[in-house]
mmCIF file of all heavy atoms in Angstrom:
data_model
loop_
_atom_site.group_PDB
_atom_site.id
_atom_site.type_symbol
_atom_site.label_atom_id
_atom_site.label_comp_id
_atom_site.label_asym_id
_atom_site.label_seq_id
_atom_site.Cartn_x
_atom_site.Cartn_y
_atom_site.Cartn_z
ATOM 1 N N ILE Z 1 0.824 -1.212 0.000
ATOM 2 C CA ILE Z 1 0.000 0.000 0.000
ATOM 3 C C ILE Z 1 0.855 1.257 0.000
ATOM 4 O O ILE Z 1 0.568 2.228 -0.716
ATOM 5 C CB ILE Z 1 -0.966 -0.024 1.198
ATOM 6 C CG1 ILE Z 1 -2.001 -1.144 1.006
ATOM 7 C CG2 ILE Z 1 -1.665 1.318 1.375
ATOM 8 C CD1 ILE Z 1 -2.916 -1.373 2.199
ATOM 9 N N LEU Z 2 1.932 1.269 0.789
ATOM 10 C CA LEU Z 2 2.793 2.451 0.837
ATOM 11 C C LEU Z 2 3.470 2.698 -0.506
ATOM 12 O O LEU Z 2 3.693 3.843 -0.891
ATOM 13 C CB LEU Z 2 3.848 2.288 1.939
ATOM 14 C CG LEU Z 2 4.670 3.526 2.282
ATOM 15 C CD1 LEU Z 2 3.791 4.621 2.875
ATOM 16 C CD2 LEU Z 2 5.792 3.164 3.262
ATOM 17 N N SER Z 3 3.774 1.635 -1.243
ATOM 18 C CA SER Z 3 4.498 1.782 -2.504
ATOM 19 C C SER Z 3 3.634 2.281 -3.649
ATOM 20 O O SER Z 3 4.131 2.943 -4.562
ATOM 21 C CB SER Z 3 5.128 0.442 -2.905
ATOM 22 O OG SER Z 3 4.124 -0.501 -3.251
ATOM 23 N N SER Z 4 2.339 1.986 -3.620
ATOM 24 C CA SER Z 4 1.533 2.199 -4.832
ATOM 25 C C SER Z 4 0.282 3.043 -4.631
ATOM 26 O O SER Z 4 -0.545 3.133 -5.538
ATOM 27 C CB SER Z 4 1.130 0.835 -5.420
ATOM 28 O OG SER Z 4 0.521 0.017 -4.449
ATOM 29 N N THR Z 5 0.136 3.679 -3.479
ATOM 30 C CA THR Z 5 -1.019 4.550 -3.244
ATOM 31 C C THR Z 5 -0.591 5.833 -2.561
ATOM 32 O O THR Z 5 0.522 5.939 -2.027
ATOM 33 C CB THR Z 5 -2.085 3.856 -2.357
ATOM 34 O OG1 THR Z 5 -1.540 3.662 -1.041
ATOM 35 C CG2 THR Z 5 -2.519 2.527 -2.934
ATOM 36 N N GLU Z 6 -1.508 6.785 -2.549
ATOM 37 C CA GLU Z 6 -1.334 8.018 -1.803
ATOM 38 C C GLU Z 6 -2.432 8.108 -0.745
ATOM 39 O O GLU Z 6 -3.476 7.454 -0.873
ATOM 40 C CB GLU Z 6 -1.416 9.225 -2.735
ATOM 41 C CG GLU Z 6 -0.285 9.300 -3.750
ATOM 42 C CD GLU Z 6 -0.379 10.539 -4.616
ATOM 43 O OE1 GLU Z 6 -1.488 10.794 -5.163
ATOM 44 O OE2 GLU Z 6 0.617 11.257 -4.753
ATOM 45 N N PRO Z 7 -2.234 8.908 0.308
ATOM 46 C CA PRO Z 7 -3.302 9.080 1.303
ATOM 47 C C PRO Z 7 -4.607 9.500 0.630
ATOM 48 O O PRO Z 7 -4.614 10.340 -0.277
ATOM 49 C CB PRO Z 7 -2.759 10.188 2.213
ATOM 50 C CG PRO Z 7 -1.272 10.022 2.122
ATOM 51 C CD PRO Z 7 -1.007 9.632 0.701
ATOM 52 N N GLY Z 8 -5.703 8.886 1.056
ATOM 53 C CA GLY Z 8 -7.007 9.185 0.478
ATOM 54 C C GLY Z 8 -7.393 8.274 -0.663
ATOM 55 O O GLY Z 8 -8.558 8.253 -1.077
ATOM 56 N N ASP Z 9 -6.435 7.517 -1.214
ATOM 57 C CA ASP Z 9 -6.748 6.583 -2.302
ATOM 58 C C ASP Z 9 -7.647 5.458 -1.806
ATOM 59 O O ASP Z 9 -7.730 5.189 -0.599
ATOM 60 C CB ASP Z 9 -5.467 5.988 -2.883
ATOM 61 C CG ASP Z 9 -4.776 6.930 -3.864
ATOM 62 O OD1 ASP Z 9 -5.345 7.993 -4.155
ATOM 63 O OD2 ASP Z 9 -3.672 6.587 -4.333
ATOM 64 N N VAL Z 10 -8.290 4.792 -2.756
ATOM 65 C CA VAL Z 10 -9.198 3.683 -2.439
ATOM 66 C C VAL Z 10 -8.534 2.363 -2.804
ATOM 67 O O VAL Z 10 -8.120 2.164 -3.953
ATOM 68 C CB VAL Z 10 -10.539 3.815 -3.193
ATOM 69 C CG1 VAL Z 10 -11.462 2.649 -2.849
ATOM 70 C CG2 VAL Z 10 -11.204 5.144 -2.856
ATOM 71 N N VAL Z 11 -8.439 1.474 -1.820
ATOM 72 C CA VAL Z 11 -7.856 0.149 -2.022
ATOM 73 C C VAL Z 11 -8.975 -0.887 -1.914
ATOM 74 O O VAL Z 11 -9.678 -0.947 -0.904
ATOM 75 C CB VAL Z 11 -6.768 -0.155 -0.977
ATOM 76 C CG1 VAL Z 11 -6.134 -1.521 -1.248
ATOM 77 C CG2 VAL Z 11 -5.704 0.938 -0.966
ATOM 78 N N LEU Z 12 -9.128 -1.680 -2.955
ATOM 79 C CA LEU Z 12 -10.145 -2.730 -2.971
ATOM 80 C C LEU Z 12 -9.489 -4.088 -2.759
ATOM 81 O O LEU Z 12 -8.488 -4.412 -3.398
ATOM 82 C CB LEU Z 12 -10.880 -2.729 -4.315
ATOM 83 C CG LEU Z 12 -11.789 -3.938 -4.605
ATOM 84 C CD1 LEU Z 12 -12.976 -3.978 -3.657
ATOM 85 C CD2 LEU Z 12 -12.253 -3.916 -6.062
ATOM 86 N N ASP Z 13 -10.078 -4.872 -1.857
ATOM 87 C CA ASP Z 13 -9.635 -6.248 -1.641
ATOM 88 C C ASP Z 13 -10.838 -7.160 -1.861
ATOM 89 O O ASP Z 13 -11.735 -7.224 -1.021
ATOM 90 C CB ASP Z 13 -9.085 -6.428 -0.226
ATOM 91 C CG ASP Z 13 -8.482 -7.812 -0.004
ATOM 92 O OD1 ASP Z 13 -8.854 -8.746 -0.733
ATOM 93 O OD2 ASP Z 13 -7.659 -7.958 0.915
ATOM 94 N N PRO Z 14 -10.897 -7.873 -2.992
ATOM 95 C CA PRO Z 14 -12.063 -8.700 -3.300
ATOM 96 C C PRO Z 14 -12.106 -10.025 -2.548
ATOM 97 O O PRO Z 14 -13.090 -10.762 -2.646
ATOM 98 C CB PRO Z 14 -11.931 -8.942 -4.807
ATOM 99 C CG PRO Z 14 -10.479 -8.805 -5.090
ATOM 100 C CD PRO Z 14 -9.934 -7.828 -4.108
ATOM 101 N N PHE Z 15 -11.041 -10.327 -1.777
ATOM 102 C CA PHE Z 15 -11.010 -11.535 -0.942
ATOM 103 C C PHE Z 15 -10.512 -11.103 0.436
ATOM 104 O O PHE Z 15 -9.397 -11.418 0.849
ATOM 105 C CB PHE Z 15 -10.087 -12.588 -1.579
ATOM 106 C CG PHE Z 15 -10.416 -12.870 -3.023
ATOM 107 C CD1 PHE Z 15 -9.692 -12.269 -4.049
ATOM 108 C CD2 PHE Z 15 -11.467 -13.712 -3.369
ATOM 109 C CE1 PHE Z 15 -9.988 -12.505 -5.378
ATOM 110 C CE2 PHE Z 15 -11.783 -13.956 -4.703
ATOM 111 C CZ PHE Z 15 -11.046 -13.357 -5.713
ATOM 112 N N PHE Z 16 -11.360 -10.397 1.146
ATOM 113 C CA PHE Z 16 -10.984 -9.597 2.302
ATOM 114 C C PHE Z 16 -10.548 -10.431 3.507
ATOM 115 O O PHE Z 16 -9.713 -9.985 4.297
ATOM 116 C CB PHE Z 16 -12.170 -8.709 2.685
ATOM 117 C CG PHE Z 16 -11.814 -7.490 3.491
ATOM 118 C CD1 PHE Z 16 -10.887 -6.577 3.020
ATOM 119 C CD2 PHE Z 16 -12.423 -7.235 4.712
ATOM 120 C CE1 PHE Z 16 -10.571 -5.434 3.738
ATOM 121 C CE2 PHE Z 16 -12.122 -6.096 5.443
ATOM 122 C CZ PHE Z 16 -11.195 -5.194 4.950
ATOM 123 N N GLY Z 17 -11.101 -11.612 3.671
ATOM 124 C CA GLY Z 17 -10.735 -12.444 4.811
ATOM 125 C C GLY Z 17 -10.948 -11.739 6.126
ATOM 126 O O GLY Z 17 -12.020 -11.179 6.389
ATOM 127 N N THR Z 18 -9.930 -11.729 6.978
ATOM 128 C CA THR Z 18 -10.043 -11.089 8.293
ATOM 129 C C THR Z 18 -9.582 -9.633 8.276
ATOM 130 O O THR Z 18 -9.364 -9.037 9.329
ATOM 131 C CB THR Z 18 -9.240 -11.876 9.332
ATOM 132 O OG1 THR Z 18 -7.901 -12.070 8.861
ATOM 133 C CG2 THR Z 18 -9.884 -13.231 9.592
ATOM 134 N N GLY Z 19 -9.418 -9.054 7.089
ATOM 135 C CA GLY Z 19 -9.283 -7.598 6.979
ATOM 136 C C GLY Z 19 -7.903 -7.002 7.081
ATOM 137 O O GLY Z 19 -7.771 -5.820 7.417
ATOM 138 N N THR Z 20 -6.856 -7.766 6.751
ATOM 139 C CA THR Z 20 -5.502 -7.208 6.837
ATOM 140 C C THR Z 20 -5.334 -5.990 5.928
ATOM 141 O O THR Z 20 -4.762 -4.973 6.333
ATOM 142 C CB THR Z 20 -4.447 -8.268 6.470
ATOM 143 O OG1 THR Z 20 -4.573 -9.373 7.364
ATOM 144 C CG2 THR Z 20 -3.045 -7.699 6.589
ATOM 145 N N THR Z 21 -5.849 -6.074 4.706
ATOM 146 C CA THR Z 21 -5.742 -4.942 3.781
ATOM 147 C C THR Z 21 -6.419 -3.702 4.350
ATOM 148 O O THR Z 21 -5.865 -2.592 4.308
ATOM 149 C CB THR Z 21 -6.367 -5.301 2.421
ATOM 150 O OG1 THR Z 21 -5.690 -6.427 1.873
ATOM 151 C CG2 THR Z 21 -6.265 -4.135 1.450
ATOM 152 N N GLY Z 22 -7.610 -3.872 4.884
ATOM 153 C CA GLY Z 22 -8.331 -2.746 5.465
ATOM 154 C C GLY Z 22 -7.616 -2.173 6.675
ATOM 155 O O GLY Z 22 -7.578 -0.952 6.867
ATOM 156 N N ALA Z 23 -7.048 -3.035 7.509
ATOM 157 C CA ALA Z 23 -6.359 -2.574 8.707
ATOM 158 C C ALA Z 23 -5.161 -1.702 8.352
ATOM 159 O O ALA Z 23 -4.968 -0.620 8.920
ATOM 160 C CB ALA Z 23 -5.911 -3.781 9.538
ATOM 161 N N VAL Z 24 -4.367 -2.155 7.398
ATOM 162 C CA VAL Z 24 -3.181 -1.382 7.005
ATOM 163 C C VAL Z 24 -3.590 -0.110 6.270
ATOM 164 O O VAL Z 24 -3.000 0.953 6.478
ATOM 165 C CB VAL Z 24 -2.242 -2.239 6.140
ATOM 166 C CG1 VAL Z 24 -1.067 -1.413 5.646
ATOM 167 C CG2 VAL Z 24 -1.752 -3.445 6.934
ATOM 168 N N ALA Z 25 -4.600 -0.209 5.408
ATOM 169 C CA ALA Z 25 -5.081 0.980 4.694
ATOM 170 C C ALA Z 25 -5.524 2.059 5.678
ATOM 171 O O ALA Z 25 -5.193 3.238 5.523
ATOM 172 C CB ALA Z 25 -6.234 0.596 3.768
ATOM 173 N N LYS Z 26 -6.244 1.641 6.705
ATOM 174 C CA LYS Z 26 -6.739 2.601 7.697
ATOM 175 C C LYS Z 26 -5.587 3.246 8.453
ATOM 176 O O LYS Z 26 -5.585 4.455 8.705
ATOM 177 C CB LYS Z 26 -7.690 1.894 8.665
ATOM 178 C CG LYS Z 26 -8.479 2.824 9.569
ATOM 179 C CD LYS Z 26 -9.530 2.054 10.361
ATOM 180 C CE LYS Z 26 -10.330 3.002 11.262
ATOM 181 N NZ LYS Z 26 -11.369 2.256 12.039
ATOM 182 N N LYS Z 27 -4.585 2.462 8.806
ATOM 183 C CA LYS Z 27 -3.426 2.999 9.523
ATOM 184 C C LYS Z 27 -2.640 3.985 8.671
ATOM 185 O O LYS Z 27 -2.030 4.921 9.208
ATOM 186 C CB LYS Z 27 -2.513 1.855 9.965
ATOM 187 C CG LYS Z 27 -3.086 0.981 11.067
ATOM 188 C CD LYS Z 27 -2.149 -0.162 11.413
ATOM 189 C CE LYS Z 27 -2.732 -1.056 12.510
ATOM 190 N NZ LYS Z 27 -1.821 -2.191 12.836
ATOM 191 N N LEU Z 28 -2.658 3.788 7.357
ATOM 192 C CA LEU Z 28 -1.888 4.645 6.452
ATOM 193 C C LEU Z 28 -2.722 5.760 5.823
ATOM 194 O O LEU Z 28 -2.265 6.424 4.884
ATOM 195 C CB LEU Z 28 -1.248 3.795 5.348
ATOM 196 C CG LEU Z 28 -0.157 2.817 5.805
ATOM 197 C CD1 LEU Z 28 0.346 1.984 4.628
ATOM 198 C CD2 LEU Z 28 1.012 3.558 6.453
ATOM 199 N N GLY Z 29 -3.923 5.960 6.308
ATOM 200 C CA GLY Z 29 -4.744 7.055 5.799
ATOM 201 C C GLY Z 29 -5.327 6.819 4.433
ATOM 202 O O GLY Z 29 -5.692 7.761 3.732
ATOM 203 N N ARG Z 30 -5.454 5.559 4.028
ATOM 204 C CA ARG Z 30 -6.114 5.211 2.770
ATOM 205 C C ARG Z 30 -7.511 4.689 3.057
ATOM 206 O O ARG Z 30 -7.814 4.279 4.179
ATOM 207 C CB ARG Z 30 -5.322 4.119 2.025
ATOM 208 C CG ARG Z 30 -4.145 4.613 1.196
ATOM 209 C CD ARG Z 30 -2.991 5.151 1.989
ATOM 210 N NE ARG Z 30 -1.800 5.310 1.153
ATOM 211 C CZ ARG Z 30 -0.687 5.900 1.563
ATOM 212 N NH1 ARG Z 30 -0.589 6.391 2.787
ATOM 213 N NH2 ARG Z 30 0.357 6.004 0.758
ATOM 214 N N ASN Z 31 -8.365 4.708 2.048
ATOM 215 C CA ASN Z 31 -9.706 4.144 2.169
ATOM 216 C C ASN Z 31 -9.700 2.706 1.656
ATOM 217 O O ASN Z 31 -8.892 2.356 0.794
ATOM 218 C CB ASN Z 31 -10.711 4.968 1.369
ATOM 219 C CG ASN Z 31 -10.828 6.393 1.879
ATOM 220 O OD1 ASN Z 31 -11.285 6.633 2.986
ATOM 221 N ND2 ASN Z 31 -10.401 7.346 1.071
ATOM 222 N N TYR Z 32 -10.595 1.901 2.168
ATOM 223 C CA TYR Z 32 -10.651 0.507 1.730
ATOM 224 C C TYR Z 32 -12.083 0.098 1.412
ATOM 225 O O TYR Z 32 -13.049 0.678 1.913
ATOM 226 C CB TYR Z 32 -10.098 -0.434 2.815
ATOM 227 C CG TYR Z 32 -10.939 -0.482 4.077
ATOM 228 C CD1 TYR Z 32 -12.033 -1.353 4.177
ATOM 229 C CD2 TYR Z 32 -10.663 0.354 5.153
ATOM 230 C CE1 TYR Z 32 -12.822 -1.386 5.325
ATOM 231 C CE2 TYR Z 32 -11.446 0.336 6.292
ATOM 232 C CZ TYR Z 32 -12.513 -0.542 6.376
ATOM 233 O OH TYR Z 32 -13.302 -0.561 7.499
ATOM 234 N N ILE Z 33 -12.194 -0.891 0.561
ATOM 235 C CA ILE Z 33 -13.453 -1.596 0.323
ATOM 236 C C ILE Z 33 -13.095 -3.079 0.316
ATOM 237 O O ILE Z 33 -12.201 -3.504 -0.422
ATOM 238 C CB ILE Z 33 -14.103 -1.206 -1.020
ATOM 239 C CG1 ILE Z 33 -14.442 0.281 -1.046
ATOM 240 C CG2 ILE Z 33 -15.362 -2.040 -1.265
ATOM 241 C CD1 ILE Z 33 -14.953 0.758 -2.396
ATOM 242 N N GLY Z 34 -13.770 -3.847 1.146
ATOM 243 C CA GLY Z 34 -13.514 -5.275 1.205
ATOM 244 C C GLY Z 34 -14.717 -6.060 0.728
ATOM 245 O O GLY Z 34 -15.856 -5.632 0.913
ATOM 246 N N VAL Z 35 -14.457 -7.184 0.088
ATOM 247 C CA VAL Z 35 -15.516 -8.101 -0.313
ATOM 248 C C VAL Z 35 -15.224 -9.454 0.332
ATOM 249 O O VAL Z 35 -14.108 -9.976 0.201
ATOM 250 C CB VAL Z 35 -15.589 -8.273 -1.845
ATOM 251 C CG1 VAL Z 35 -16.715 -9.251 -2.199
ATOM 252 C CG2 VAL Z 35 -15.811 -6.926 -2.530
ATOM 253 N N GLU Z 36 -16.197 -9.985 1.048
ATOM 254 C CA GLU Z 36 -16.006 -11.266 1.728
ATOM 255 C C GLU Z 36 -17.353 -11.974 1.860
ATOM 256 O O GLU Z 36 -18.356 -11.334 2.154
ATOM 257 C CB GLU Z 36 -15.386 -11.042 3.115
ATOM 258 C CG GLU Z 36 -15.150 -12.294 3.925
ATOM 259 C CD GLU Z 36 -14.330 -13.329 3.180
ATOM 260 O OE1 GLU Z 36 -13.222 -12.988 2.716
ATOM 261 O OE2 GLU Z 36 -14.833 -14.474 3.034
ATOM 262 N N ARG Z 37 -17.371 -13.268 1.631
ATOM 263 C CA ARG Z 37 -18.624 -14.010 1.697
ATOM 264 C C ARG Z 37 -18.789 -14.793 2.997
ATOM 265 O O ARG Z 37 -19.899 -15.217 3.323
ATOM 266 C CB ARG Z 37 -18.723 -14.974 0.519
ATOM 267 C CG ARG Z 37 -17.728 -16.120 0.530
ATOM 268 C CD ARG Z 37 -17.891 -16.982 -0.702
ATOM 269 N NE ARG Z 37 -17.038 -18.172 -0.653
ATOM 270 C CZ ARG Z 37 -16.980 -19.085 -1.614
ATOM 271 N NH1 ARG Z 37 -17.702 -18.910 -2.714
ATOM 272 N NH2 ARG Z 37 -16.200 -20.138 -1.495
ATOM 273 N N ASP Z 38 -17.696 -14.989 3.743
ATOM 274 C CA ASP Z 38 -17.762 -15.771 4.980
ATOM 275 C C ASP Z 38 -18.132 -14.869 6.159
ATOM 276 O O ASP Z 38 -17.397 -13.936 6.492
ATOM 277 C CB ASP Z 38 -16.406 -16.444 5.226
ATOM 278 C CG ASP Z 38 -16.442 -17.434 6.373
ATOM 279 O OD1 ASP Z 38 -16.651 -17.007 7.524
ATOM 280 O OD2 ASP Z 38 -16.255 -18.642 6.117
ATOM 281 N N LYS Z 39 -19.243 -15.154 6.784
ATOM 282 C CA LYS Z 39 -19.752 -14.318 7.881
ATOM 283 C C LYS Z 39 -18.791 -14.301 9.068
ATOM 284 O O LYS Z 39 -18.645 -13.270 9.751
ATOM 285 C CB LYS Z 39 -21.127 -14.816 8.330
ATOM 286 C CG LYS Z 39 -22.226 -14.643 7.296
ATOM 287 C CD LYS Z 39 -23.560 -15.129 7.843
ATOM 288 C CE LYS Z 39 -24.671 -15.003 6.798
ATOM 289 N NZ LYS Z 39 -24.935 -13.586 6.461
ATOM 290 N N ASP Z 40 -18.141 -15.427 9.336
ATOM 291 C CA ASP Z 40 -17.211 -15.472 10.466
ATOM 292 C C ASP Z 40 -16.004 -14.574 10.220
ATOM 293 O O ASP Z 40 -15.536 -13.875 11.129
ATOM 294 C CB ASP Z 40 -16.748 -16.915 10.710
ATOM 295 C CG ASP Z 40 -17.863 -17.805 11.237
ATOM 296 O OD1 ASP Z 40 -18.814 -17.261 11.856
ATOM 297 O OD2 ASP Z 40 -17.805 -19.026 11.034
ATOM 298 N N TYR Z 41 -15.489 -14.590 8.994
ATOM 299 C CA TYR Z 41 -14.355 -13.716 8.676
ATOM 300 C C TYR Z 41 -14.773 -12.245 8.785
ATOM 301 O O TYR Z 41 -14.021 -11.405 9.285
ATOM 302 C CB TYR Z 41 -13.848 -13.991 7.254
ATOM 303 C CG TYR Z 41 -13.238 -15.356 7.057
ATOM 304 C CD1 TYR Z 41 -13.070 -15.880 5.771
ATOM 305 C CD2 TYR Z 41 -12.799 -16.128 8.129
ATOM 306 C CE1 TYR Z 41 -12.499 -17.130 5.560
ATOM 307 C CE2 TYR Z 41 -12.237 -17.386 7.932
ATOM 308 C CZ TYR Z 41 -12.097 -17.885 6.644
ATOM 309 O OH TYR Z 41 -11.537 -19.119 6.438
ATOM 310 N N ILE Z 42 -15.960 -11.936 8.306
ATOM 311 C CA ILE Z 42 -16.456 -10.554 8.356
ATOM 312 C C ILE Z 42 -16.559 -10.081 9.806
ATOM 313 O O ILE Z 42 -16.184 -8.947 10.132
ATOM 314 C CB ILE Z 42 -17.817 -10.437 7.651
ATOM 315 C CG1 ILE Z 42 -17.651 -10.661 6.148
ATOM 316 C CG2 ILE Z 42 -18.457 -9.075 7.923
ATOM 317 C CD1 ILE Z 42 -18.945 -10.687 5.376
ATOM 318 N N LYS Z 43 -17.047 -10.945 10.664
ATOM 319 C CA LYS Z 43 -17.180 -10.598 12.085
ATOM 320 C C LYS Z 43 -15.820 -10.259 12.678
ATOM 321 O O LYS Z 43 -15.659 -9.267 13.400
ATOM 322 C CB LYS Z 43 -17.822 -11.759 12.839
ATOM 323 C CG LYS Z 43 -18.030 -11.489 14.324
ATOM 324 C CD LYS Z 43 -18.683 -12.698 14.999
ATOM 325 C CE LYS Z 43 -18.852 -12.449 16.495
ATOM 326 N NZ LYS Z 43 -19.452 -13.637 17.168
ATOM 327 N N VAL Z 44 -14.819 -11.086 12.370
ATOM 328 C CA VAL Z 44 -13.462 -10.845 12.868
ATOM 329 C C VAL Z 44 -12.904 -9.545 12.297
ATOM 330 O O VAL Z 44 -12.300 -8.734 13.014
ATOM 331 C CB VAL Z 44 -12.536 -12.026 12.499
ATOM 332 C CG1 VAL Z 44 -11.079 -11.699 12.837
ATOM 333 C CG2 VAL Z 44 -12.966 -13.294 13.233
ATOM 334 N N ALA Z 45 -13.098 -9.333 10.992
ATOM 335 C CA ALA Z 45 -12.565 -8.139 10.336
ATOM 336 C C ALA Z 45 -13.182 -6.858 10.907
ATOM 337 O O ALA Z 45 -12.479 -5.871 11.146
ATOM 338 C CB ALA Z 45 -12.814 -8.219 8.831
ATOM 339 N N LYS Z 46 -14.487 -6.865 11.128
ATOM 340 C CA LYS Z 46 -15.153 -5.673 11.669
ATOM 341 C C LYS Z 46 -14.634 -5.333 13.062
ATOM 342 O O LYS Z 46 -14.396 -4.152 13.377
ATOM 343 C CB LYS Z 46 -16.663 -5.893 11.694
ATOM 344 C CG LYS Z 46 -17.326 -5.798 10.335
ATOM 345 C CD LYS Z 46 -18.839 -5.927 10.446
ATOM 346 C CE LYS Z 46 -19.513 -5.709 9.101
ATOM 347 N NZ LYS Z 46 -20.989 -5.840 9.190
ATOM 348 N N LYS Z 47 -14.447 -6.340 13.883
ATOM 349 C CA LYS Z 47 -13.914 -6.096 15.232
ATOM 350 C C LYS Z 47 -12.501 -5.544 15.143
ATOM 351 O O LYS Z 47 -12.141 -4.596 15.853
ATOM 352 C CB LYS Z 47 -13.942 -7.389 16.040
ATOM 353 C CG LYS Z 47 -13.408 -7.226 17.462
ATOM 354 C CD LYS Z 47 -13.466 -8.534 18.236
ATOM 355 C CE LYS Z 47 -12.897 -8.355 19.640
ATOM 356 N NZ LYS Z 47 -12.919 -9.620 20.415
ATOM 357 N N ARG Z 48 -11.712 -6.135 14.275
ATOM 358 C CA ARG Z 48 -10.328 -5.697 14.097
ATOM 359 C C ARG Z 48 -10.255 -4.249 13.634
ATOM 360 O O ARG Z 48 -9.477 -3.442 14.173
ATOM 361 C CB ARG Z 48 -9.656 -6.618 13.076
ATOM 362 C CG ARG Z 48 -8.216 -6.298 12.746
ATOM 363 C CD ARG Z 48 -7.730 -7.254 11.664
ATOM 364 N NE ARG Z 48 -6.310 -7.136 11.401
ATOM 365 C CZ ARG Z 48 -5.654 -7.870 10.502
ATOM 366 N NH1 ARG Z 48 -6.314 -8.775 9.798
ATOM 367 N NH2 ARG Z 48 -4.362 -7.693 10.310
#
């Protein structure tokens, strides 16, 4: 994310899992959109 985006950019992760992409994007001032079909993974990602 640091190499290929600027603050405020939108990062999409179509296989979001437990949200690592979103977590790092948020820490670096980027926006994220995650796609995930597993409810358990989504629950973990939202808490994280």
Side-chain angles (χ1 to χ4, degrees):
I1 292 173
L2 190 65
S3 68
S4 53
T5 66
E6 295 182 310
D9 280 355
V10 180
V11 182
L12 168 66
D13 186 337
F15 308 99
F16 202 56
T18 52
T20 301
T21 300
V24 176
K26 191 172 180 180
K27 290 178 181 179
L28 293 177
R30 277 69 167 172
N31 297 294
Y32 66 86
I33 299 174
V35 180
E36 179 54 54
R37 67 182 186 181
D38 188 295
K39 293 182 182 295
D40 291 335
Y41 294 163
I42 292 175
K43 181 180 178 182
V44 172
K46 285 184 175 180
K47 180 179 179 181
R48 179 183 187 180

